[in-house]
Amino acid sequence: MSPSSSSSSALSSLHLAVALDGTGWHPASWREPEARPRDLLTAGYWADLVAEAERGLLDFVTIEDGLGPQSSHFLDPDERTDQVRGRLDAVLIASRIAPLTRHIGLVPTVVATHTEPFHISKAVATLDYVSTGRAGLRVQITARPNEAAHFGRRSIPPIEGYDSPVVTDLFDEAADYVEAVRRLWDSWEDDAEIRDAATGRFIDRDKLHYIDFEGKHFSVKGPSITPRPPQGQPLVTALGHQTVPYRLIARQADVGYVTPHDTDQARAIVAEIRAEQETAGRSDELLHVFGDLVVFLDDDPAEAAARRDRLDALAGEPYQSDARIFTGSPSQLADLLREFQAAGLTGFRLRPAVLGHDLPAITRGLVPELQRRGAFRTAYEADTLRGLLGLGRPANRYAAA
Amino acid sequence: MSKPLKQIHLAAHFPGVNNTTVWSDPEAGSHIEFSSFAHFAKTAERAKFDFLFLAEGLRLREQGGKIYDLDVVGRPDTFTVLAALAAVTEHLGLTGTINSTFNEPYEVARQFASLDHLSGGRSAWNVVTSWDAFTGENFRRGGFLPQEERYSRAKEFLATTQELFDSWHGDEILADQESGVFLRDAKAGSFVHTGQHFDIHGRFNVPRSPQGRPVVFQAGDSEEGREFAASGADAIFSRYATLKEGQAFYTDVKNRLAKYGRRHDQLLILPAASFALADTDAEAEELARIVRRQQVSGATALKHLEFVWNRDLSSYDPEGPLPDIDPDVSDNHISKGRAQVRMYRDPLATAREWRELAAANNWSIRDLVIHTGNRQNFIGSPETIARTINEYVQADASDGFILVPHITPTGLDAFADKVVPLLQEQGVFRTEYEGPTLRHHLGLAHPDDVQDEQRVAS
């Protein structure tokens, strides 16, 4: 059943993910008492966050990343000293946490623009092994000229906005990138390792496949050095704000994150993605569309609003985001999520304004509220991330039928 | 005057993708499941080893145009496994081989600095190079690097990553919630590197890690490789585990240090060493013989002969005599993606010598390959192996060994239980870890202290 057809009747459970970034999404979040800004580079900090998310039975966490320092500017670096700067590699954070958790999905950000699909494919396959089937990736592009200069391999001309042809090309490259990564995941059939003592063969090499990917920006021969991961295809996710990234989501993703500010926008975005999905020949596949929301969450809505004002005052300017900013109580947020769900979204990726405060407010406030309404799981019902999201284990594209 | 006893350094090499590793043994487990890596790492940590060592491969090996299927095939991503192992160990160093050809300095520096943070200062990097177009087919640039430039690129790659590691000093993050100052230095992480291979600038985004820089290993044996190691590596992963060869290598490399202003104790020599351990020396000899036969099946023996003959020999009987025909000495080699082919520089001479050996001893192809291949470096009872290892280290054949068990993941268990306690009794191996970082285990100074020392000296 396609999720697009389920919007009319009784709503099913929704899916919840949390986006982890530094001390939270508000730039002054690090100044809150619960923030732990001196621990950001330690494993313990991330382990505690993911343990909290797992306590709340969330589907997965995403981990932000980038190939340069964080910046308050759209494209250029800044020299601010009043915000969190510096971060660890997201894939490695996820892997460091994997053995400490059992159920929750781990979805690090990977930047397609300057990195190697071969390396990322085996890294996320390995994350799937170390987490026994809970890995995914969130693919991102970078149009930042300063990040291109960190690699020195190509220059990226300055752009005015996301409608630039430069960006379209970067998204096309990202789509190729995901295609190569996915082919590499399939480049070993599941039963390729045979350990046949009689013939002395460890593998049946007929079950290993060259992927022979050739694109405009790169080609990859294959096969992967890493056998097919436990989920077959780890989860692929991407954030989009307009047609070009929606197309990437429709062509290549299992979960797309979108940023509607009201239910009309949500309906329009979902319709556009579903149309692109059909164009891509994937209409029979389950593709989740999650709404991204920044959340300030307190039992007393006035307290949440006051907290937001206080943080804005510390930052010296009102916080702005691509996503809708929600300020209120868990019950109000549950109402909003159900409205968005009725408009066609199947889940949400919440961006806690202050991780130390708003993540526990999600797991201990919002989750019980949704559970009371029959809108969220009361126990983990599957062993893999794909399983939690109702995605089957896909057949291998190279396996003979 | 007697020299004080040297302390031995020991490391564990996760069984590799080659025929040292015996997958056909009933005890052999998965080479890819994380539980195997966790078992192996926990055993090494229980034995107070300095570090675990993980190799890397970037293209599956081929022979005769087909994927080589007789050895273990397939392995996980180095960084990702090491980061996960940091969660199940507390002290063990985590050394990974990472190629400098098919990577970029900014990304590798981020990954090692991140691993160093996430492990509390336990990361190490075995820098390797390659140049072949065969491996390049998996990467954006393809086989872009002429062979003669591989060390110059590796050197510049390493130097560039060190500039990135050093772009943060360690005191920039104030994170003062009261005053609102997160960073002391608005330009923290700034770097500019202009060189033959890399022309990059900007800001590095991983603040200084506990070890400052990961420990650096070098593994090549060529003249250039030795010089590369002497100029900047902290340790060498070498091949020479016999006494005489080991001493010659040790002396050669340590004597190169002075010209770079470095002391003998600033570069450790750690050869790879396989072993056959049993209750008695006689049983160990028998075990060694059985393992050699497991490592060289008839099919493997034929494939091994093909490296030298450079021809398809699949029609030959491995239990029969060696081929009469001579090796094909053309440039296009039957085997791709492995270093071994370069060991036989004069295949015609090797073939002649092998035919004579086989005839004189009445050896089949398989017998020949078993006898001319590497024997286990240490064979014996726990007492014999402990004594031999200590003798080699005290005689400056090495500073310790990187042990290569042949069974995954339990191949280290008996060594940990039986040999290590004997070394500890002799006072040549630690009974407890003395510090939190790999630099502590290896007796290497923190890079900041080294720089201070050099400033004082000059």
Side-chain angles (χ1 to χ4, degrees), chain B residues 111-188:
Chain B
Q111 290 169 311
F112 270 114
S114 295
L115 179 63
D116 207 51
H117 279 290
L118 292 167
S119 63
R122 298 188 275 140
S123 71
W125 173 17
N126 178 37
V127 187
V128 300
T129 67
S130 61
W131 65 91
D132 57 300
F134 177 72
T135 305
E137 284 181 341
N138 282 333
F139 298 96
R140 285 178 183 263
R141 292 214 224 186
F144 68 98
L145 190 64
Q147 178 170 348
E148 61 275 13
E149 282 181 29
R150 67 188 184 121
Y151 268 107
S152 91
R153 188 176 194 276
K155 252 178 137 154
E156 191 177 331
F157 193 107
L158 180 62
T160 308
T161 57
Q162 296 194 329
E163 289 162 26
L164 293 169
F165 297 132
D166 291 350
S167 68
W168 290 75
H169 307 290
D171 58 356
E172 291 91 345
I173 295 180
L174 188 60
D176 180 16
Q177 292 176 312
E178 197 56 41
S179 67
V181 177
F182 186 86
L183 274 190
R184 276 204 182 90
D185 175 3
K187 294 183 156 75

Side-chain angles (χ1 to χ4, degrees), chain A residues 65 95 153 202 210 222 226, chain B residues 62 69 75 80 104 110 138:
Chain A
D65 205 351
S95 190
R153 296 272 302 278
F202 183 77
Y210 297 104
T226 306
Chain B
E62 292 184 4
D69 57 1
R75 48 182 146 198
T80 314
E104 297 299 325
R110 292 186 82 230
N138 282 333

Side-chain angles (χ1 to χ4, degrees), chain B residues 287-336:
Chain B
L287 173 66
R289 200 187 59 77
I290 292 168
V291 170
R292 288 296 296 143
R293 289 197 79 75
Q294 286 180 314
Q295 289 168 331
V296 184
S297 68
T300 297
L302 281 180
K303 290 293 174 191
H304 195 90
L305 220 56
E306 287 186 354
F307 302 151
V308 176
W309 261 257
N310 198 26
R311 296 177 184 278
D312 179 358
L313 301 178
S314 55
S315 61
Y316 285 79
D317 176 4
E319 304 300 341
L322 271 65
D324 294 328
I325 51 166
D326 274 331
D328 173 356
V329 292
S330 64
D331 281 346
N332 192 10
H333 204 274
I334 192 166
S335 173
K336 292 199 189 312

Side-chain angles (χ1 to χ4, degrees), chain A residues 55-212:
Chain A
R55 209 169 293 135
L57 308 176
L58 303 192
D59 290 76
F60 60 91
V61 295
T62 61
I63 304 169
E64 298 298 305
D65 205 351
L67 298 176
Q70 300 92 326
S71 173
S72 52
H73 302 312
F74 172 55
L75 280 178
D76 297 316
D78 66 15
E79 294 194 353
R80 292 185 79 132
T81 57
D82 64 334
Q83 298 179 358
V84 169
R85 292 291 178 269
R87 62 180 5 143
L88 303 179
D89 181 271
V91 172
L92 298 184
I93 291 175
S95 190
R96 176 66 177 76
I97 303 313
L100 308 177
T101 50
R102 289 187 54 200
H103 300 286
I104 194 163
L106 301 166
V107 182
T109 295
V110 304
V111 179
T113 308
H114 302 291
T115 63
E116 293 284 356
F118 191 85
H119 288 316
I120 287 297
S121 178
K122 66 184 161 65
V124 176
T126 302
L127 180 62
D128 209 40
Y129 277 103
V130 303
S131 65
T132 55
R134 296 181 285 126
L137 63 81
R138 175 273 181 108
V139 62
Q140 193 177 37
I141 60 144
T142 171
R144 292 173 174 265
N146 66 306
E147 294 184 0
H150 292 163
F151 288 79
R153 296 272 302 278
R154 66 191 199 203
S155 56
I156 289 180
I159 57 164
E160 294 302 316
Y162 278 117
D163 49 0
S164 155
V166 172
V167 172
T168 304
D169 189 52
L170 290 172
F171 273 106
D172 285 344
E173 181 185 356
D176 280 357
Y177 193 97
V178 176
E179 175 67 19
V181 164
R182 284 190 178 280
R183 287 192 199 175
L184 287 165
W185 286 335
D186 274 352
S187 63
W188 290 56
E189 294 185 38
D190 291 319
D191 51 357
E193 185 179 312
I194 52 172
R195 297 191 183 222
D196 183 37
T199 56
R201 292 176 307 146
F202 183 77
I203 50 160
D204 176 354
R205 63 182 162 215
D206 292 338
K207 294 191 171 178
L208 267 56
H209 303 276
Y210 297 104
I211 69 162
D212 287 319

